[in-house]
Structure formats: structure tokens, C-alpha cells
Amino acid sequence: MSEDLLRISDLKVSYGGIEAVRGISFNVRQGEIVTLIGANGAGKSSTLRAISGLVKPAGGKVELEGEDITAKDSSVIVSKGLMMVPEGRKIFPNLSVLENLKIGAYLRNDDLTEDLEAVYGYFPRLKERSWQAGGTLSGGEQQMLAVGRALMGRPKVLMMDEPSLGLAPIVVQDIFEIIRRIHENGTTVLLIEQNANMALHVADRAYVIENGKISLEGTGKELLSNEKVQAAYLGAKG
Amino acid sequence: MEYVISVLLSGISVGGQYALIAIGYTLVYGILRLINFAHGDVFMVAGLLGIYLTAVLPIPVSLPLVIVFTVLLGFTIERAAYRPLREAPRMSVMISAIGVSYLLQNTATYVTGGQPMTYPTIPFLSDTVNVAGTQTKWVVIITPILVLILVTILSMLINGTKIGMAMRAVSKDFETSRLMGIKINLVISVTFIIGSALAAVGSNLFFTNYPAITPMAGAMPGLKAFVAAVFGGIGSIPGAVLGAFLIGICETIIKGLPSSWDVSVFSDAFTFALLIVILVFKPQGLFGEAAADKV
Ligand SMILES: Nc1ncnc2c1ncn2[C@@H]1O[C@H](COP(=O)(O)OP(=O)(O)O)[C@@H](O)[C@H]1O
Ligand SMILES: [Mg+2]
């Protein structure tokens, strides 16, 4: 058990009495890509937002390397090594591309040159545009910027909320290729997706969320060949 | 000609003083989308602090202390009256701001007994100097220079430092800023501190030209500065500064028109007419952003 980097136990989130997340437990081990898949409104974002301190969980526990970080202030959670790529990218449109990257390292005080080079290595286009305002980038470039920004925080776990949302299929391919490379270079990834096909192919392990509860879990391969998953999430697109 | 120069000079000077107040409005609006109605009264309190502190301490000590205490006041107002309402509807915060405004005015009335208080003579501000053949006070010369210096420092802070970057990020998106590890409340406090410090400097300059301070003395300059901020595009610092200079100059010109024309009493009304005209043609103000928060 001790190799669990991130452990979520019986997490609950409610909005004014309406339970969006109803007792979710899962774990992410060092070096894994774990994915949570589920339909719109299943409670995926709420789960991530509770982990990163944006919403107070109604119950349950979040532990990073054995340390309880439940409902801590976001800045504390970031400082412990959890960085999130939010749903909808949410880059800062008024900051330059370079500043958007630097702000991902807001809590760091050391030299950023190496990390910037690494991010530009993944996303050469960001380097060409480093002086442009973030808001002038295309959707795909903004997603890359959002991922790069999170990497600048040197996360122990990189959490991504639907990075493929609203992007052209070819760009989605790029994004997943990058996720694979980031993972190969040693970053542990918690990936949330509606694009089950892509996510399950890249993931070591996966959980299916339905109505705020985990309904299935297994390795990426197991879930890809699971009949229920095929019917519900891989159907037409599979 | 000399008359024209002296009118222009004093217009620039008044404009600079409005600018120092207007920056406080525009900074706070930029981050909290809050019109801080208490800001003009903070400016008035800074004036009163100037009176009380210079009475007991030498000027090189008392003027910096005025800034320190005004900063503390601005900081405390945010902590006590605005922060607890962070999740509340914006209208509630607005009402809280109006409440603070009256609290400051009433407290000033209580402390001063409602009597106009004579502002001290600060030698290097009120001594006269000859410029282009006209006699004027040093404050008229010093104000625009000081404004220029302070605005330059402020833009360097906002565009070139980490906390400035955080301020720009927070002004766009609280939640994502938190995901970067930024402490929102700290950034907001810094904003109030800067705004209050500039208002304190502005009050020293402004009240040097006025014989006395009443508890209402912050209302009109506060309102003008607010208009300047809206005029320039609220949230924009260059906009607020430019707007303030324009308003200061226009108002002084109208006040300076020949008395036989009998228009000088309308100088305040003119300010607002000007604002309305600008906003008809440019609803976002001079440098305001088009519709907010497009993705
Ligand atoms: N801020 C909120 N206030 C009220 N209800 C919310 C809020 N955010 C999400 N919900 C509700 O919680 C449920 C789960 O939403 P979410 O976590 O965003 O799902 P997903 O990311 O899986 O699409 C949905 O029914 C959604 O309407
Ligand atoms: Mg979601």
C-alpha cells in the first residue's frame, strides 16, 4: 500500500444538498497513468476539484504520500506536488505564453530554465509564441499551454480534466501522444476523460464513474474489452 | 498667455491628484469587480491623519506615517468588510462598501466635532515658484512629476514582478489562480495596500491647495476620480491616469473661463456630461476591455 502516491477514500462532494460525488475511492501509484472515465455530469470534475482544494469535500479523505491533505488550501495542495490542468484549459488570456508557463511555477523559487526547455521540447509551438498573449492561441495550443503550465510546477501527480474536450481529432491525437511522453519521462498522471477509447489505450488502470460512484475498475486493457464499457462508452466511436 | 499657462498647470496638477485616487478604484475593480465606495473617504481620512500627525511630529516623519496608517486602514477595511463577503453576491459587497464610507465619514465627524480642520502648510509643497512668468505653488510642479514616477513604478511592479503577474492572473480568474498556488487573499490585500498608499500621497498634494478638511472632503474628489477611472475604462491603469488628467484639466479650464460668461459653477456638471458623452460612443471607456471573460 505504501507505494500509493495519491489515495482517495470515500470522497463525497455535494452542492447545496445535491450529492455529485457519493463516496469514491481510488488510488494512483508512483509512475502510473490512471484514468477516470464517465459521461457528462458523472462527477469527474467534482472529484478533481475536491482533490485540488477548489471545493470542500462533504466527506472522505485525500492523501498524498500518506499525508492527509483533505480540504487543505489550494496553495498548500499545490506546494505538496499536485498540479491540475482544469477543464476548459483556463489559460490566462492576458498573460503572455511565457508568463502562463512561469505562473505554473509560482511557488517555486529556483531556476526555471531547464523546465522551460523541457516544456518547449514537448510543445515547440509554444516557444515560437512565447511573447504572444495566451488568449491569441488556438484551442489546441491553449491546451498545450495548460499542460505545459502544470508541468512547470514539477508535479508529483499531474491531474488533467478532459484535455481532449472540444479539440479536433488530429489535435486530440497530439495531446495523447504528449501525455504518453510526459508519463514515459516519469510523471504520474491522473487523467479524466469522456473520450474513453483514447484514455483507456493510454492508461495503466482505469475507473468508470457513474452518478457519482465508481461502477467498474480494472486495467486499461480489461476495460477496453469489457462489454458494458464497450456498449456505454466505446459504442459508436469505438 | 500667462493666465492660460497657470490654468493648464493647475489643471494638470489637479488631474494628477485625481489620478492617484483613481488608480485605487481601478485596481480594486480590476481584481474584485467592486466599486470601493469607501476609497474617497480613505483619502479624506489620510488628509485628517496629515493634520493630526504633522501637529505632533516633524514633517519628514509624519508624512510617511500618514501613508503607513492609511495603508493599514485600507488593509483593515478589506479584511473586515469585504473579505467575509467574498462568496456573497457582488451587490452585498457594494453595500458593505457604502457602509464603510459612512462609517469613515461619521467617525471623522465624531473626531473633529464636525469642524473644518485646517490643513497644515507643508513648506516644500506650498512655497511659491515662478514658472513661465506665473507664480504658482510647488505642489503644482511636483504633482505631475510624482504621478509619473509612481505610475512608472506601479507598471514595473505589475508587469515585471511575480506578485504583479499574480495580480494580473487573479484579475482574470480566481479559481485557476488558486490552482497555480497563488493565495488570492494576499493578492487582494496587496491591491488595497497599493491603492491606499497612492491615495495617501494624493491627499497630501490635494489638500495643500485647500484651506480645510471636512468629513465630506473625500466625497467629491473621490467621485471625480471614480469618474476618471470609468472614463479611462475601469480596470485599466493607463486609462485611469489619462482620464484623471483629462478631467482635471477640463474642470480647471471651465473654472478659469471669464467670470462674465458665468459657467464656472457648472464645472462639476460638465465632468459628468463629458463622461456620459464618452460612454455613449465608447461604452467600455477609453482603454476598457470589450465584454468580459470571453474564452
Ligand atoms: N458548482 C456547481 N453547483 C451545482 N451543481 C454542480 C456544480 N458543479 C457541478 N454540479 C453538478 O454536479 C454533477 C457532477 O458534475 P461534474 O463533476 O462537473 O461532472 P463531470 O465532470 O463528470 O461532467 C452534475 O450534475 C453537475 O450539474
Ligand atoms: Mg467535467
Side-chain angles (χ1 to χ4, degrees):
Chain A
M1 291 301 275
S2 63
E3 80 267 34
D4 279 358
L5 195 47
L6 183 64
R7 187 175 335 149
I8 313 300
S9 330
D10 200 25
L11 188 71
K12 293 187 176 116
V13 178
S14 41
Y15 300 103
I18 300 163
E19 284 198 312
V21 178
R22 302 183 295 156
I24 280 187
S25 304
F26 64 93
N27 63 328
V28 180
R29 302 191 195 105
Q30 176 77 44
E32 279 188 318
I33 298 190
V34 170
T35 185
L36 310 183
I37 57 174
N40 220 349
K44 305 182 298 297
S45 296
S46 302
T47 302
L48 267 207
R49 292 160 57 79
I51 296 174
S52 52
L54 291 182
V55 293
K56 294 261 173 284
K61 210 167 171 188
V62 179
E63 290 162 287
L64 183 70
E65 295 181 309
E67 186 183 354
D68 187 352
I69 56 165
T70 319
K72 286 258 164 36
D73 194 74
S74 290
S75 66
V76 175
I77 291 172
V78 169
S79 73
K80 302 280 181 200
L82 283 186
M83 290 294 292
M84 170 157 142
V85 181
E87 183 176 317
R89 319 186 248 286
K90 302 286 173 64
I91 55 117
F92 297 104
N94 56 334
L95 266 55
S96 73
V97 168
L98 180 61
E99 285 175 326
N100 264 286
L101 293 176
K102 282 186 173 168
I103 208 163
Y106 189 76
L107 293 181
R108 289 175 49 190
N109 293 311
D110 50 339
D111 186 43
L112 302 180
T113 323
E114 225 174 84
D115 303 76
L116 279 173
E117 282 314 311
V119 169
Y120 287 148
Y122 290 124
F123 311 111
R125 227 167 325 158
L126 294 184
K127 186 168 191 176
E128 291 161 26
R129 285 156 206 247
S130 61
W131 297 107
Q132 239 169 276
T136 64
L137 300 184
S138 71
E141 289 163 349
Q142 292 193 8
Q143 186 64 62
M144 293 171 188
L145 183 55
V147 174
R149 178 179 67 182
L151 285 176
M152 291 298 292
R154 290 206 177 159
K156 287 179 183 145
V157 182
L158 175 64
M159 306 191 288
M160 296 192 229
D161 193 347
E162 299 207 40
S164 73
L165 193 72
L167 298 179
I170 181 93
V171 184
V172 172
Q173 297 269 354
D174 287 350
I175 294 281
F176 273 92
E177 182 50 38
I178 295 289
I179 294 173
R180 215 184 301 256
R181 280 174 56 200
I182 289 170
H183 172 242
E184 273 165 16
N185 291 339
T187 303
T188 305
V189 177
L190 173 60
L191 173 66
I192 280 186
E193 264 300 342
Q194 272 191 71
N195 190 334
N197 185 30
M198 295 293 277
L200 291 176
H201 274 101
V202 80
D204 296 310
R205 290 187 303 114
Y207 297 83
V208 178
I209 301 190
E210 273 176 75
N211 293 322
K213 276 185 169 306
I214 287 175
S215 59
L216 275 172
E217 60 177 284
T219 65
K221 279 209 186 80
E222 281 166 8
L223 291 197
L224 271 173
S225 54
N226 180 295
E227 279 173 20
K228 276 192 216 151
V229 174
Q230 283 179 345
Y233 300 101
L234 304 172
K237 282 185 191 168
Chain B
M1 187 60 209
E2 275 139 34
Y3 181 66
V4 172
I5 290 177
S6 90
V7 166
L8 275 183
L9 275 180
S10 79
I12 291 171
S13 159
V14 174
Q17 290 148 14
Y18 290 161
L20 292 176
I21 316 172
I23 291 171
Y25 279 110
T26 219
L27 277 178
V28 165
Y29 183 87
I31 292 216
L32 286 183
R33 304 289 181 273
L34 163 71
I35 295 163
N36 181 12
F37 287 108
H39 192 55
D41 305 291
V42 168
F43 172 80
M44 173 276 295
V45 171
L48 287 181
L49 283 170
I51 294 173
Y52 289 116
L53 289 171
T54 49
V56 292
L57 290 166
I59 281 174
V61 183
S62 54
L63 292 192
L65 269 185
V66 169
I67 299 178
V68 171
F69 284 128
T70 310
V71 160
L72 274 177
L73 178 65
F75 174 82
T76 310
I77 289 172
E78 193 278 318
R79 285 296 286 256
Y82 305 154
R83 187 173 300 185
L85 296 171
R86 198 74 88 221
E87 307 298 327
R90 204 162 298 154
M91 197 54 77
S92 315
V93 194
M94 212 79 96
I95 288 166
S96 185
I98 294 172
V100 173
S101 167
Y102 279 112
L103 175 66
L104 293 179
Q105 288 179 16
N106 293 355
T107 309
T109 307
Y110 178 79
V111 171
T112 62
Q115 297 300 310
M117 303 291 288
T118 312
Y119 199 74
T121 307
I122 301 169
F124 63 90
L125 291 179
S126 20
D127 288 352
T128 52
V129 58
N130 262 305
V131 183
T134 64
Q135 282 248 323
T136 185
K137 287 182 180 177
W138 266 112
V139 66
V140 171
I141 312 299
I142 289 174
T143 300
I145 299 171
L146 196 59
V147 170
L148 211 66
I149 294 173
L150 291 174
V151 169
T152 308
I153 294 175
L154 182 62
S155 353
M156 291 194 313
L157 177 90
I158 288 179
N159 294 311
T161 66
K162 210 164 169 178
I163 185 76
M165 183 167 75
M167 286 170 73
R168 282 178 291 141
V170 171
S171 76
K172 276 291 168 200
D173 187 342
F174 271 31
E175 205 164 72
T176 310
S177 298
R178 289 170 61 194
L179 288 177
M180 303 298 113
I182 295 170
K183 293 193 175 78
I184 305 290
N185 284 333
L186 181 82
V187 172
I188 292 170
S189 288
V190 168
T191 307
F192 274 82
I193 286 171
I194 295 173
S196 309
L198 293 177
V201 174
S203 87
N204 280 327
L205 303 170
F206 184 85
F207 289 119
T208 290
N209 282 328
Y210 285 77
I213 302 183
T214 66
M216 286 300 293
M220 206 49 183
L223 197 55
K224 298 267 181 63
F226 169 61
V227 169
V230 173
F231 182 94
I234 191 146
S236 157
I237 293 170
V241 173
L242 190 73
F245 276 114
L246 275 173
I247 285 175
I249 291 168
C250 288
E251 164 188 313
T252 319
I253 289 175
I254 292 176
K255 278 187 186 153
L257 289 174
S259 52
S260 56
W261 295 11
D262 220 11
V263 291
S264 68
V265 285
F266 289 106
S267 71
D268 293 338
F270 173 80
T271 306
F272 290 91
L274 185 71
L275 175 77
I276 291 164
V277 171
I278 291 281
L279 292 185
V280 165
F281 291 104
K282 227 169 166 315
Q284 302 304 132
L286 294 177
F287 294 112
E289 289 177 22
D293 302 331
K294 269 191 292 178
V295 181

